[in-house]
Amino acid sequence: MPDQASKYSSPTTVPVGVDPTRASIARVYDAALGGKDNYEIDRQVLKQVAKAAPQVRDLAVSNREFLKRAVRFLTERAGITQFLDCGSGLPTAENTHQVAQRVNPDARVVYVDNDPVVIAHGRALLEDNDKSFFVDADIFQPSQVLDDVKVRTYIDFDEPLALLHVGTLHHYTADNGGDLMREYVDGMPTGSFVVIAHFFNPETPELSELARKMEYHFMHSPMKSGRFRTREEILALLPGLELIAPNPDKGPGLELCDQWWPDGPKVLNDVEKCIVGVVARKP
Ligand code: SAM
């Protein structure tokens, strides 16, 4: 049997940490959202992609807004009380625990990330919250996450949970992401949910070219990751799961992040048409 560490590999398995000469996914994302916890090397990634897609930052905004709506949906409509948030990112104004605990003050959140800057900020932020916790682990090694002592202590695996992989799997550049996700799904009880937001290649003549260019620039930037997968490739990341309808007017499926239970009518730009969100349930 190959060991878990060699089964899945990604450029983000070794955290960049606070090295200002290497771009970090968390810091690039922070820069895209207008935060202050980033270096010139991180901003360079966005500048490089902006050559092909001047509105590149909208990918991050659409992703984050989707995360909040999906967490509200799961807490309010699906009665989920525990969240395993993989790749939590740098703290923003509204983090998963704040969104969930506004609906249900007893909701528990375990955040997982391997970026030292994220971990330091996260631990400080959560000091006063006795229902939210931080774990330092590689989210692309499911057994590392699922077997973690803190995860096992604060998530009850006899009760449904929500696994968030929002804005993470496009940084997993290998083609066996379906196997990786199957390990997570196998470890979760029936009635659990998986939430994914992912860079998207819509496979239309105009938008495919844009998606391919953004992918090229991300992959050749100092960040070295950012795949724009097709509908079929993203669905392969949800093995054995039932998709949830993305809003009351639509059937189950993937949806552009901005149109997943939208806050209101919005005219989307082309970049916003290149990121999708999906919520799926383990039957
Ligand atoms: N999920 C958050 C959201 O949607 O707002 C943040 C998404 S951010 C784009 C991706 C996060 O995944 C970063 O904080 C990064 O440090 C983390 N990450 C990337 N690869 C990782 C790995 N192999 N193990 C743990 N965390 C990882």
Side-chain angles (χ1 to χ4, degrees):
M1 279 279 287
D3 71 10
Q4 301 297 343
S6 61
K7 205 152 109 187
Y8 307 114
S9 71
S10 110
T12 68
T13 297
V14 180
V16 171
V18 288
D19 185 347
T21 65
R22 292 174 63 201
S24 115
I25 294 168
R27 289 193 257 111
V28 171
Y29 185 61
D30 175 69
L33 289 174
K36 294 193 175 63
D37 294 296
N38 51 78
Y39 300 128
E40 180 53 30
I41 190 90
D42 307 307
R43 297 188 287 273
Q44 262 177 34
V45 174
L46 296 174
K47 282 183 201 149
Q48 193 162 325
V49 184
K51 285 183 204 156
Q55 288 134 332
V56 57
R57 285 158 194 261
D58 289 340
L59 288 172
V61 177
S62 298
N63 177 85
R64 190 75 202 176
E65 293 304 309
F66 161 74
L67 178 144
K68 291 190 249 172
R69 293 196 303 276
V71 169
R72 268 204 317 262
F73 170 84
L74 289 171
T75 320
E76 221 178 80
R77 302 284 168 119
I80 290 292
T81 58
Q82 37 179 13
F83 294 83
L84 185 53
D85 188 350
C86 291
S88 51
L90 278 160
T92 66
E94 272 199 297
N95 297 288
T96 302
H97 72 284
Q98 288 152 327
V99 177
Q101 289 170 1
R102 206 157 357 101
V103 181
N104 176 358
D106 289 329
R108 286 191 312 283
V109 179
V110 177
Y111 293 102
V112 187
D113 211 292
N114 69 348
D115 187 307
V117 181
V118 173
I119 295 162
H121 275 264
R123 290 208 168 119
L125 178 83
L126 299 179
E127 231 157 49
D128 297 334
N129 194 298
D130 63 356
K131 296 196 177 68
S132 309
F133 311 92
F134 226 102
V135 168
D136 173 1
D138 182 350
I139 57 171
F140 299 143
Q141 306 297 336
S143 60
Q144 217 182 83
V145 176
L146 294 173
D147 297 341
D148 181 272
V149 175
K150 256 199 205 169
V151 170
R152 303 294 320 176
T153 305
Y154 298 114
I155 300 280
D156 177 357
F157 282 85
D158 292 328
E159 293 292 326
L161 63 118
L163 175 82
L164 308 190
H165 252 291
V166 179
T168 54
L169 290 165
H170 41 239
H171 298 295
Y172 185 76
T173 51
D175 287 328
N176 60 347
D179 298 335
L180 185 159
M181 287 305 289
R182 185 177 293 281
E183 252 193 87
Y184 274 113
V185 172
D186 285 349
M188 291 161 44
T190 296
S192 293
F193 289 85
V194 172
V195 183
I196 290 177
H198 199 296
F199 293 163
F200 178 50
N201 175 351
E203 297 178 281
T204 63
E206 336 68 78
L207 293 174
S208 268
E209 199 188 333
L210 175 66
R212 269 199 302 273
K213 280 187 186 161
M214 287 196 281
E215 176 173 288
Y216 177 86
H217 285 293
F218 272 126
M219 297 288 285
H220 291 84
S221 76
M223 192 170 73
K224 299 189 182 72
S225 65
R227 290 211 35 202
F228 284 68
R229 293 191 167 97
T230 61
R231 179 173 297 269
E232 198 184 331
E233 288 169 334
I234 295 170
L235 290 176
L237 301 172
L238 299 159
L241 300 177
E242 288 169 350
L243 304 192
I244 300 295
N247 63 56
D249 300 329
K250 288 234 172 134
L254 296 188
E255 183 53 276
L256 297 176
C257 278
D258 283 305
Q259 288 177 349
W260 199 95
W261 276 70
D263 282 336
K266 184 177 178 189
V267 179
L268 300 187
N269 63 40
D270 284 352
V271 165
E272 290 164 334
K273 293 176 186 163
C274 291
I275 181 155
V276 285
V278 60
V279 175
R281 183 178 176 278
K282 180 169 176 176

